[in-house]
Amino acid sequence: MSLCGGEGWCESCIVRLERGVCQPPTEAERLVFSFEALDEGYRLACQTIPQSDVKVYLPPESLTAPQRLQVEGEAAPVTLDPRVKAIDLVLTPPTLEDQQADTQRLRNALARLDHPEVVIEFPLLETLSDILREQNWQARLALCQDRLVAVLPPGARLLGLAVDIGTTKLAGYLVDLSTGETIAKTGAMNPQIAYGEDVISRIAYAQEDPVKRRLLQSSLVEALNAMLADLCSSSGVLPHQVAQAVIVGNTAMHHLFAGLPVRQLAHAPYVPAVSEALSFPASQVGLGLAPGGVVQLLPNIAGYVGADHVAVILATRLWEASQPAIAIDIGTNTEISLAVDGRLYSCSCASGPAFEGAHIHDGMRAAPGAIERVQMIQDDIRIYTIGDQPPAGICGSGILDVVAELRRNGILDERGGLNSINPRVRPSQQGLEFMLVPEADTAHGKDITISRRDVNEIQLAKAAIRTGIDVLLEVAGLQAQDVHDWIIAGAFGTYINLESAIRIGLFPPAPLERFRQVGNAAGMGARQALLSRSSFHIAEQVAREVNYIELTTYEGFQERFLKAMYL
Amino acid sequence: MSLCGGEGWCESCIVRLERGVCQPPTEAERLVFSFEALDEGYRLACQTIPQSDVKVYLPPESLTAPQRLQVEGEAAPVTLDPRVKAIDLVLTPPTLEDQQADTQRLRNALARLDHPEVVIEFPLLETLSDILREQNWQARLALCQDRLVAVLPPGARLLGLAVDIGTTKLAGYLVDLSTGETIAKTGAMNPQIAYGEDVISRIAYAQEDPVKRRLLQSSLVEALNAMLADLCSSSGVLPHQVAQAVIVGNTAMHHLFAGLPVRQLAHAPYVPAVSEALSFPASQVGLGLAPGGVVQLLPNIAGYVGADHVAVILATRLWEASQPAIAIDIGTNTEISLAVDGRLYSCSCASGPAFEGAHIHDGMRAAPGAIERVQMIQDDIRIYTIGDQPPAGICGSGILDVVAELRRNGILDERGGLNSINPRVRPSQQGLEFMLVPEADTAHGKDITISRRDVNEIQLAKAAIRTGIDVLLEVAGLQAQDVHDWIIAGAFGTYINLESAIRIGLFPPAPLERFRQVGNAAGMGARQALLSRSSFHIAEQVAREVNYIELTTYEGFQERFLKAMYL
């Protein structure tokens, strides 16, 4: 969400074009940049329409804006080699002299095209005979390796679906498997929220009774089917053209989608039911793809490092990093992976929902009216809200800024205590609080404040993440300055002010240019695995070979965590 | 159904023990047989309990009684080698130091037992984690080749189910896959009868709308689940112990069970949707086996020569006959196969339901009170009913006898006309009729009669079957006397009087000792394919290599059929 809403005046999305062609600079860009800068390729991302694949450099100061362009860029280098491919067939119709069964006729034709041993997905048989007759014995077949998964009308576009099932949000990408083009994408809320805000409460709900577990599954599948219907209708295609879906999510979302038990995820030793990649007919879970369509789930690494994180590793190319690199996907649960010398170390941190605005007195989700950025120079406090609406509360990136700025201005001490000398600090029912926005300026007519307890929530969250980073560095024998790439994934991570994050100690001090904020890398990784068999295999290999570090039993974890609480 | 109800006095089940051990002769047997006969091994099957596998010879005069012993005998020579085998496992429970996913833990253990590449059936994943914990990390696994299909408690019996889906009746056999023992068997009505008596009317119903097709499927699956529950509860086992089912049926029953389209079966060129053997998770059709249990359907040969006939060929070992042999499975549709010199020829005859008592004025199914056998010597008419009840109607074998006896006694001419001089022949609304049982002697107080029209139905039925036999013989270049074995399968075929059948020309004249009436050979073939992988492969090979002869386009079929109408 940029401050100017894409009008080209806030300068928050400056990029430098390194390769490729874009349309000429707009008026807004000519106002912003000098001739030299334009010559060097500087552009405003919000004003620039690429006319080819492009490579862009993102200056650190642009990194608090949404990195949509960057996200798309990650998937570009993949060579198109989807698991599902199209084959066009014309069959000789049966006669009384040639009474071969329909499947036999199909098999014989496929054998002539060098596919001698095709397995026909069972659910496809329900419609195959009627379809062949309706289409006058012509068809475009979708073969997933040696499995026939869809029978389409001649010339129909063959499609794939990539999905990231987040605890809160779903992201879906409809992809043309013949060209690799993303023809539509959309987001939706995860309807399971009705049964529990976070993973733990949903596991508790699912555990009560198998019917409830199935309800969590069916509500999710229903939402995915609705999302697929939207994606298809906006592009003039049909869900039955979708032959394959690659789906990622954290381990709990993965399990709930596939109908797997989650009880064991909630108790030590936090074991997933399944870690390897899964492949099964979409009909098994009720996902409305082509009748024989296949669902593939990327592998999980551990109970709290799921397929979505594997997708992040895939999309960010962490697995092949030539210099030490770290990827951090911040959420209620934060997954971190460190790559060094071809080895990967991963861990999971219980960071809690504070960065999503929960458990914060005036916290809110990143919705219009949320304070997303705060600057304080002594008494001068500048507030930026999403959609430039009157402030209604503070979302994660705003809270991070507030804590960092309060600390910088000496209003907070290193333990999180508020300095009562400051005129905006006042007593409240929960101890001292800092008055950020007076009631006259807010949307709801009440002061927006930050309490000592709010600060403490942020301390807990940042300590959890920082401890994870530090433990991985220690295990790998590295110092923070050895890490060449700091990749910050996920919605929150995309919007935070990196300087604030470093200032409060969420990240170790590192040059800002080493950071990349890559948005929904999980969705990009899913799309990549859909388009490229070798990417899928790499994901499998990554999940198999990664060194998972269990923090709860790591020696000195507790001391380290307490130390990381300091601001 | 024997005349004495198994009390040992009707002498209709005489057999000769050729190999194996039985308990000593009973009092009833000592009354029936001479010492010489007992020494030669003659026994009454109803009185004899085998104490080992036995081989028995069935004298032709015994062949009108149910051939239960014979049926069981067919499957005996199969070497036990089921597709599903048990493996006992004890796993190390997970800890915080060993957080492998449950499936990974299982795979590693299986790899150590020389099963490195096991595919876990997707529906099994739903319960696997909970089961392993409940069973304290011990389990008996069922592996179907390289697929894990069931996870049972340690020591649980591993079971299989063989089913013959008849248009009218279902037959189920519950088998211990470790011993090959049939631990329970039962029959039930096919509930699809509510939607149409015969195959054609059910296809018509299914064709109306996909919901109706699914209704035919679900009602059938429900009946099979009820049958399985009965079989299990009578043996103190659970349906979840059943890891595999082998199912046969005619092509229409096969398709309706599997949810395949049947429209194309009803119209020329009468093509099956699927001919090859199918294997799919039981959950795909809602069959309540073990959660990962597998259903296998034997292959079909043609639109009207189905998997049940393949099972007949398997059970009767027709495929390896050293002398020319013919197998005839009589029903509303009659399938015939002829084996000669390692080649098989098959055809299908639209024989109609007359032999099942339908379309016959006083016809009825083979239920208590049905006249099942008739002898006439001039005026002396002897009537035998099922269960020795007062006659209520005539079932197939009874009608066959009546027509044969009327013809033998000159009351019918070769064209099927009744001789009006006979005192029992009288006019009726449908032309002449023969009064078989006067009202005073019947269960319902009405005369039981045979009309000219009834005779005509029998003529049509027997002509259809006889033409099929003659065409196959001609195609193979044989005469009837060249055929060494005449194998008559199916319920009706088991109960008919062979002399009557030959007399009316249903079968060509052949020595009675060349006939074998083998009962439900289809069910036995299914059981055999369940117990023996090589039998299953033979079934696949048979279906692939058989020469199917389409009678409707066979040259001279019509003339031949009309000629075969003569009695």
Side-chain angles (χ1 to χ4, degrees), chain A residues 10 29-30 62 65 79 121 149 165-166 173 201 221 253 266 273 290 308 334 341 394 437 441 450 466 502 504 560:
Chain A
C10 78
E29 293 179 285
R30 285 198 298 267
S62 291
T79 306
E121 283 290 340
V149 296
I165 303 175
Y173 307 80
S201 57
V221 169
M253 291 305 114
D308 54 351
T334 297
D341 295 338
I394 322 175
V437 189
D441 297 343
I450 304 290
R466 179 61 181 274
I502 291 172
I504 69 160
R560 217 178 264 273

Short mmCIF file of all heavy atoms in Angstrom, two decimals, chain A residues 10 29-30 62 65 79 121 149 165-166 173 201 221 253 266 273 290 308 334 341 394 437 441 450 466 502 504 560:
data_model
loop_
_atom_site.label_atom_id
_atom_site.label_comp_id
_atom_site.label_asym_id
_atom_site.label_seq_id
_atom_site.Cartn_x
_atom_site.Cartn_y
_atom_site.Cartn_z
N CYS A 10 4.68 10.06 -4.09
CA CYS A 10 5.24 9.81 -2.75
C CYS A 10 6.66 9.26 -2.81
O CYS A 10 7.33 9.17 -1.79
CB CYS A 10 4.34 8.88 -1.94
SG CYS A 10 4.48 7.14 -2.38
N GLU A 29 6.87 10.77 -13.38
CA GLU A 29 8.25 10.35 -13.22
C GLU A 29 9.21 11.47 -13.62
O GLU A 29 10.26 11.64 -13.01
CB GLU A 29 8.52 9.08 -14.05
CG GLU A 29 7.75 7.87 -13.51
CD GLU A 29 7.98 6.62 -14.34
OE1 GLU A 29 7.41 6.52 -15.46
OE2 GLU A 29 8.73 5.74 -13.90
N ARG A 30 8.85 12.19 -14.69
CA ARG A 30 9.73 13.27 -15.13
C ARG A 30 9.81 14.37 -14.08
O ARG A 30 10.80 15.07 -13.95
CB ARG A 30 9.28 13.81 -16.49
CG ARG A 30 9.65 12.82 -17.62
CD ARG A 30 9.63 13.48 -18.99
NE ARG A 30 8.30 13.96 -19.33
CZ ARG A 30 7.39 13.26 -20.02
NH1 ARG A 30 7.68 12.02 -20.41
NH2 ARG A 30 6.22 13.75 -20.29
N SER A 62 13.04 2.03 -0.95
CA SER A 62 11.75 1.65 -1.55
C SER A 62 11.14 0.45 -0.86
O SER A 62 10.03 0.04 -1.19
CB SER A 62 11.96 1.31 -3.03
OG SER A 62 12.28 2.48 -3.75
N ALA A 65 7.41 -0.29 0.67
CA ALA A 65 6.21 -0.39 -0.17
C ALA A 65 6.00 -1.84 -0.59
O ALA A 65 6.91 -2.63 -0.52
CB ALA A 65 6.40 0.50 -1.40
N THR A 79 12.47 -22.44 -16.03
CA THR A 79 12.23 -22.99 -17.36
C THR A 79 10.89 -23.73 -17.35
O THR A 79 10.65 -24.56 -16.48
CB THR A 79 13.35 -23.98 -17.72
OG1 THR A 79 14.58 -23.32 -17.56
CG2 THR A 79 13.18 -24.46 -19.15
N GLU A 121 -6.82 -41.82 -14.62
CA GLU A 121 -7.29 -41.54 -13.27
C GLU A 121 -8.74 -42.00 -13.13
O GLU A 121 -9.59 -41.67 -13.95
CB GLU A 121 -7.18 -40.04 -12.96
CG GLU A 121 -5.78 -39.56 -12.65
CD GLU A 121 -5.26 -40.06 -11.30
OE1 GLU A 121 -6.07 -40.45 -10.44
OE2 GLU A 121 -4.03 -40.07 -11.13
N VAL A 149 -5.19 -37.17 -16.76
CA VAL A 149 -5.90 -36.47 -15.70
C VAL A 149 -7.05 -35.60 -16.19
O VAL A 149 -7.89 -35.18 -15.41
CB VAL A 149 -4.94 -35.61 -14.84
CG1 VAL A 149 -3.93 -36.50 -14.13
CG2 VAL A 149 -4.22 -34.57 -15.69
N ILE A 165 -2.19 -21.45 1.11
CA ILE A 165 -3.22 -21.41 2.15
C ILE A 165 -2.59 -20.81 3.39
O ILE A 165 -1.82 -21.48 4.09
CB ILE A 165 -3.75 -22.83 2.47
CG1 ILE A 165 -4.30 -23.49 1.21
CG2 ILE A 165 -4.81 -22.77 3.57
CD1 ILE A 165 -4.73 -24.93 1.42
N GLY A 166 -2.85 -19.56 3.63
CA GLY A 166 -2.38 -18.94 4.86
C GLY A 166 -3.38 -19.16 5.97
O GLY A 166 -4.55 -19.46 5.73
N TYR A 173 -3.41 -18.48 -7.84
CA TYR A 173 -2.86 -18.06 -9.13
C TYR A 173 -3.31 -19.06 -10.18
O TYR A 173 -3.05 -20.25 -10.06
CB TYR A 173 -1.33 -18.05 -9.08
CG TYR A 173 -0.77 -17.23 -7.93
CD1 TYR A 173 -0.72 -17.75 -6.64
CD2 TYR A 173 -0.33 -15.93 -8.14
CE1 TYR A 173 -0.23 -17.00 -5.58
CE2 TYR A 173 0.17 -15.17 -7.09
CZ TYR A 173 0.22 -15.71 -5.80
OH TYR A 173 0.69 -14.97 -4.77
N SER A 201 -5.70 -22.65 17.98
CA SER A 201 -7.12 -22.80 18.33
C SER A 201 -7.84 -23.65 17.28
O SER A 201 -8.79 -24.36 17.61
CB SER A 201 -7.78 -21.42 18.50
OG SER A 201 -7.63 -20.66 17.33
N VAL A 221 -12.04 -26.05 1.50
CA VAL A 221 -12.17 -26.51 0.11
C VAL A 221 -13.24 -25.69 -0.62
O VAL A 221 -13.07 -25.30 -1.77
CB VAL A 221 -12.48 -28.02 0.06
CG1 VAL A 221 -12.88 -28.45 -1.34
CG2 VAL A 221 -11.26 -28.82 0.53
N MET A 253 -2.20 -25.98 8.17
CA MET A 253 -3.11 -25.72 7.04
C MET A 253 -3.02 -26.87 6.03
O MET A 253 -4.02 -27.31 5.47
CB MET A 253 -2.76 -24.40 6.36
CG MET A 253 -3.03 -23.16 7.19
SD MET A 253 -4.74 -23.06 7.76
CE MET A 253 -4.49 -23.21 9.53
N ALA A 266 -0.05 -30.47 18.06
CA ALA A 266 -0.27 -29.56 19.19
C ALA A 266 0.51 -29.96 20.43
O ALA A 266 0.58 -29.20 21.38
CB ALA A 266 -1.76 -29.50 19.50
N ALA A 273 1.97 -35.44 10.53
CA ALA A 273 1.53 -36.76 10.07
C ALA A 273 2.30 -37.13 8.82
O ALA A 273 2.71 -38.27 8.65
CB ALA A 273 0.02 -36.74 9.78
N ALA A 290 -10.50 -30.44 -13.04
CA ALA A 290 -10.92 -31.45 -14.01
C ALA A 290 -11.21 -32.74 -13.25
O ALA A 290 -10.58 -32.99 -12.22
CB ALA A 290 -9.80 -31.67 -15.02
N ASP A 308 4.65 -24.15 2.99
CA ASP A 308 4.75 -22.75 2.54
C ASP A 308 6.18 -22.24 2.67
O ASP A 308 6.65 -21.48 1.83
CB ASP A 308 3.76 -21.85 3.31
CG ASP A 308 3.89 -21.95 4.82
OD1 ASP A 308 4.62 -22.84 5.32
OD2 ASP A 308 3.25 -21.14 5.52
N THR A 334 6.76 -17.80 12.98
CA THR A 334 7.77 -17.30 12.05
C THR A 334 8.75 -18.42 11.71
O THR A 334 9.29 -19.06 12.63
CB THR A 334 8.50 -16.10 12.67
OG1 THR A 334 7.56 -15.04 12.87
CG2 THR A 334 9.64 -15.63 11.78
N ASP A 341 26.92 -22.59 2.34
CA ASP A 341 27.70 -23.65 1.69
C ASP A 341 26.84 -24.84 1.26
O ASP A 341 27.21 -26.00 1.47
CB ASP A 341 28.80 -24.16 2.64
CG ASP A 341 29.82 -23.06 2.95
OD1 ASP A 341 29.92 -22.12 2.13
OD2 ASP A 341 30.48 -23.15 4.00
N ILE A 394 -3.65 0.66 15.09
CA ILE A 394 -2.27 0.50 14.62
C ILE A 394 -2.08 -0.93 14.11
O ILE A 394 -2.48 -1.88 14.80
CB ILE A 394 -1.24 0.73 15.75
CG1 ILE A 394 -1.69 1.87 16.68
CG2 ILE A 394 0.13 1.03 15.18
CD1 ILE A 394 -0.78 2.06 17.87
N VAL A 437 -2.15 9.24 19.27
CA VAL A 437 -3.05 10.13 18.51
C VAL A 437 -4.18 10.56 19.43
O VAL A 437 -4.85 9.71 20.03
CB VAL A 437 -3.65 9.40 17.28
CG1 VAL A 437 -4.39 10.39 16.38
CG2 VAL A 437 -2.56 8.69 16.48
N ASP A 441 -8.34 13.47 16.56
CA ASP A 441 -7.82 13.14 15.24
C ASP A 441 -8.14 11.71 14.78
O ASP A 441 -7.75 11.31 13.69
CB ASP A 441 -6.28 13.30 15.22
CG ASP A 441 -5.86 14.74 15.49
OD1 ASP A 441 -6.73 15.64 15.37
OD2 ASP A 441 -4.68 14.97 15.83
N ILE A 450 -0.29 3.53 23.25
CA ILE A 450 0.58 2.37 23.34
C ILE A 450 0.89 2.17 24.81
O ILE A 450 1.44 3.07 25.45
CB ILE A 450 1.93 2.62 22.62
CG1 ILE A 450 1.70 3.01 21.15
CG2 ILE A 450 2.84 1.40 22.73
CD1 ILE A 450 1.20 1.92 20.29
N ARG A 466 14.25 -13.08 16.92
CA ARG A 466 15.69 -12.81 17.00
C ARG A 466 16.44 -14.02 17.56
O ARG A 466 17.53 -14.37 17.08
CB ARG A 466 15.93 -11.58 17.86
CG ARG A 466 17.41 -11.22 18.04
CD ARG A 466 18.06 -10.92 16.69
NE ARG A 466 19.47 -10.61 16.84
CZ ARG A 466 19.94 -9.39 17.10
NH1 ARG A 466 19.11 -8.37 17.23
NH2 ARG A 466 21.23 -9.20 17.24
N ILE A 502 15.48 -3.19 12.74
CA ILE A 502 16.85 -3.35 13.24
C ILE A 502 17.01 -2.60 14.57
O ILE A 502 17.63 -3.08 15.51
CB ILE A 502 17.86 -2.86 12.19
CG1 ILE A 502 17.85 -3.82 10.99
CG2 ILE A 502 19.27 -2.77 12.79
CD1 ILE A 502 18.65 -3.34 9.80
N ILE A 504 14.88 -2.01 16.96
CA ILE A 504 14.36 -2.70 18.17
C ILE A 504 15.01 -4.06 18.35
O ILE A 504 14.71 -4.78 19.29
CB ILE A 504 12.83 -2.85 18.14
CG1 ILE A 504 12.37 -3.84 17.07
CG2 ILE A 504 12.13 -1.50 17.96
CD1 ILE A 504 10.97 -4.36 17.33
N ARG A 560 18.93 -17.01 26.17
CA ARG A 560 19.06 -16.25 24.94
C ARG A 560 17.79 -15.45 24.66
O ARG A 560 17.83 -14.29 24.27
CB ARG A 560 19.26 -17.26 23.82
CG ARG A 560 20.19 -16.85 22.75
CD ARG A 560 20.28 -17.99 21.77
NE ARG A 560 21.42 -18.81 22.05
CZ ARG A 560 22.63 -18.57 21.56
NH1 ARG A 560 22.85 -17.51 20.81
NH2 ARG A 560 23.63 -19.38 21.83
#
